[in-house]
Amino acid sequence: TVWTKIGCGWCEDVTDLLRQRGLAFEERVVTGNRALMEEMVRKSGQTKAPVVEIDGHLLVDTDADEVERYLRGVARA
């Protein structure tokens, strides 16, 4: 799951990375959606996007480089 905001370059980079890797994900756009924003804040503890959840692990206020590093680490495990 990826929580994103409209016009957020970091959000676009993360979703592009996941698409390029062929990974299925659900994008939840929080801009203008109070329920999704509250969900993101409840899970992450803050309002900055993107927030990525992979198999229960949260990457908060992240970027594509951090997501890539996490995915590489999971692949090695």
Side-chain angles (χ1 to χ4, degrees), residues 1-72:
T1 305
V2 183
W3 289 268
T4 63
K5 292 182 178 179
I6 294 172
C8 168
W10 292 280
C11 299
E12 292 170 13
D13 290 346
V14 167
T15 56
D16 287 348
L17 169 69
L18 296 174
R19 285 185 189 100
Q20 288 168 4
R21 289 185 64 126
L23 300 172
F25 66 95
E26 179 183 348
E27 182 176 7
R28 297 181 181 173
V29 180
V30 301
T31 305
N33 188 318
R34 172 170 264 163
L36 290 180
M37 175 63 90
E38 289 173 355
E39 176 187 58
M40 182 182 80
V41 171
R42 186 173 73 268
K43 284 198 164 248
S44 70
Q46 52 84 52
T47 61
K48 294 179 181 175
V51 171
V52 179
E53 183 175 22
I54 302 171
D55 296 330
H57 181 84
L58 284 177
L59 299 168
V60 179
D61 187 21
T62 191
D63 62 18
D65 291 337
E66 182 180 11
V67 173
E68 179 68 34
R69 282 191 302 275
Y70 178 78
L71 291 172
R72 284 183 186 162

